[in-house]
Amino acid sequence: MITSAFTFFTVLLAIAGGLKLVEYKSDSKLFTILPAIVILYFVIMLLSTLGLWQKSTEITDAYSSLKSNILPAMIFLMLLKADLRQIKKLGGKIVLAFFSASVSIGVAFVVAFMLFLPSLEPDSWKTFAALSGSWMGGMGNMAAIQLALDVPDSRMGYTLIIDSIDYALWVMLLLALVPHAKLFDRWIGTSSEKLDTVAHSLAEEQCTESSSELTTALLILLSLSLLVSVVTQSAASMLPTTTFFSETTWTVLIVTILGAFAAMTPIRKLQGSEAISNIMLYIIVALIASRANFYELTEAPLYIFMGMVILFIHGVLMVLFAKLFKFDLFTCGIASLANIGGVASAPILAAAYSRALIPVGVLMALIGYIVGTAGGLLVGKVLSMLV
């Protein structure tokens, strides 16, 4: 049994690295449905269930310190590619579609929570708040909300189960609808021709980054992100708190604002922000999983079904929005997946329509990085009032 904090952290990193290597080398479609980071959660949760490490004082202290300090740094780095000036070039209609998807997801969470409330645990609203952050942005937003609302690690297993199983079904449905785009667009009374202009405009801005001075850039980004983590936590400690707006909630919101502003400065041009933030995300997910076990997931079928209900309501509302605002099927699908799947899957759906549309998918997903945390916290606030 592992009792040393360094050994514990080394094992988590080794498992994360091993799974990422397998995903990189493998041609299996498994990783299309379940990315390595999702499998990582369940593998480490299994090892935790088997008691591979002990929750000693040393390990617990290291866990708390790493998680609380790395997460703000990760959020800052994650946002550096979300340049609002680039997002503006998507055009009002595409951005409107993204926020329509966000609103429909938020409403779907509230409606589904009200329907299933009698069958849920009192603190289950925190679980769904974290999931709504993921489905409006990505896993980084989910981790941010978990920290902000102090969601127990044991409850995060439900979030990951819904996020993996129901998300995979939703991706398959959206991809299956691609051949029927013209039929849908005729029914709505619109077309996707204007997207070509947007796509080509964005594609012209894409450039290949040089690998020179990479070490310098990585060191600057790593040190800057950790400095931001320290400063934002210090600033948050001086702000007034309530039951809902805790010190960690302020930390998450402040670092989100700083990251969005930094994305409009020359800092965003430094190479490596995405790589470092992804490594930090793997570490955070591994740490969360290390405190959970399978014996606590007794309500998994109920939560999976709730996830399907949420997606069904979201889908119905998106069709209504499409009819109201004349969104074509691509815009609806990519707006939905940019929220629910984030940067990892939105470009895949965009490519299924046309490779020229990949930048549109990427930028739409980046909007989620900016609004996902605040959106999830807002949903959490509404859900907490229903309990």
Side-chain angles (χ1 to χ4, degrees):
M1 181 182 291
I2 297 171
T3 57
S4 162
F6 183 77
T7 306
F8 164 73
F9 185 64
T10 300
V11 169
L12 297 187
L13 273 182
I15 296 170
L19 282 172
K20 193 62 183 174
L21 178 63
V22 172
E23 180 185 44
Y24 177 73
K25 294 287 187 181
S26 174
D27 295 326
S28 173
K29 293 183 178 179
L30 170 66
F31 291 103
T32 303
I33 301 171
L34 290 176
I37 194 166
V38 175
I39 298 174
L40 171 68
Y41 183 91
F42 291 109
V43 168
I44 291 182
M45 185 166 67
L46 175 61
L47 296 176
S48 175
T49 304
L50 296 174
L52 182 60
W53 46 79
Q54 186 183 69
K55 293 180 182 178
S56 63
T57 302
E58 183 182 347
I59 288 179
T60 300
D61 289 346
Y63 160 86
S64 300
S65 179
L66 282 169
K67 185 180 170 187
S68 61
N69 288 295
I70 289 177
L71 197 136
M74 180 205 71
I75 296 171
F76 178 77
L77 292 173
M78 184 178 70
L79 288 165
L80 287 184
K81 295 300 180 183
D83 188 345
L84 292 172
R85 293 167 301 185
Q86 285 288 89
I87 291 169
K88 184 180 178 181
K89 293 181 181 180
L90 287 173
K93 194 170 185 177
I94 298 177
V95 174
L96 175 62
F98 177 89
F99 283 104
S100 297
S102 299
V103 169
S104 68
I105 290 169
V107 171
F109 268 92
V110 173
V111 173
F113 190 79
M114 292 173 65
L115 291 173
F116 289 87
L117 185 56
S119 304
L120 298 172
E121 294 290 327
D123 66 344
S124 59
W125 66 270
K126 294 184 178 182
T127 302
F128 286 100
L131 178 63
S132 67
S134 177
W135 281 6
M136 290 183 186
M139 270 197 172
N141 303 91
M142 176 197 74
I145 292 174
Q146 194 230 358
L147 181 68
L149 298 182
D150 193 25
V151 185
D153 290 335
S154 58
R155 305 298 296 178
M156 291 303 291
Y158 291 117
T159 303
L160 267 294
I161 284 176
I162 302 171
D163 198 23
S164 56
I165 296 175
D166 294 340
Y167 152 76
L169 295 173
W170 192 245
V171 171
M172 288 187 283
L173 174 62
L174 292 179
L175 288 171
L177 289 174
V178 172
H180 308 291
K182 291 184 178 179
L183 181 63
F184 181 88
D185 295 348
R186 280 200 301 270
W187 177 65
I188 293 297
T190 188
S191 71
S192 59
E193 291 177 1
K194 292 182 179 179
L195 280 171
D196 294 334
T197 305
V198 176
H200 289 305
S201 172
L202 292 171
E204 289 172 0
E205 307 242 348
Q206 303 298 307
C207 59
T208 303
E209 294 182 335
S210 168
S211 60
S212 63
E213 306 298 331
L214 181 59
T215 301
T216 303
L218 290 173
L219 280 172
I220 292 172
L221 287 169
L222 182 58
S223 58
L224 178 61
S225 65
L226 294 176
L227 177 61
V228 167
S229 176
V230 172
V231 171
T232 52
Q233 289 182 77
S234 177
S237 67
M238 295 183 282
L239 293 172
T241 60
T242 64
T243 304
F244 188 82
F245 265 85
S246 64
E247 187 177 312
T248 49
T249 307
W250 280 119
T251 299
V252 168
L253 291 178
I254 294 170
V255 79
T256 299
I257 294 170
L258 287 177
F261 275 109
M264 294 185 284
T265 70
I267 297 173
R268 70 183 179 87
K269 296 180 180 180
L270 292 173
Q271 303 172 57
S273 61
E274 187 176 359
I276 300 175
S277 64
N278 282 338
I279 291 171
M280 289 179 172
L281 180 59
Y282 271 78
I283 292 171
I284 290 166
V285 169
L287 288 169
I288 293 171
S290 72
R291 313 296 283 189
N293 69 71
F294 280 104
Y295 297 127
E296 296 166 334
L297 301 180
T298 55
E299 301 173 77
L302 173 64
Y303 279 74
I304 292 170
F305 182 64
M306 273 191 70
M308 293 178 181
V309 172
I310 291 168
L311 290 174
F312 174 76
I313 296 171
H314 159 62
V316 171
L317 290 176
M318 279 305 293
V319 172
L320 294 176
F321 281 133
K323 197 71 174 174
L324 178 63
F325 298 117
K326 302 299 180 184
F327 297 145
D328 58 86
L329 185 60
F330 167 80
T331 302
C332 284
I334 206 67
S336 175
L337 204 54
N339 275 272
I340 295 171
V343 176
S345 53
I348 296 174
L349 181 62
Y353 285 89
S354 169
R355 292 194 64 82
L357 295 171
I358 291 177
V360 177
V362 173
L363 283 180
M364 285 187 78
L366 288 175
I367 301 175
Y369 281 168
I370 300 172
V371 304
T373 302
L377 288 173
L378 178 60
V379 169
K381 181 63 175 177
V382 175
L383 298 185
S384 69
M385 295 167 64
L386 296 174
V387 177

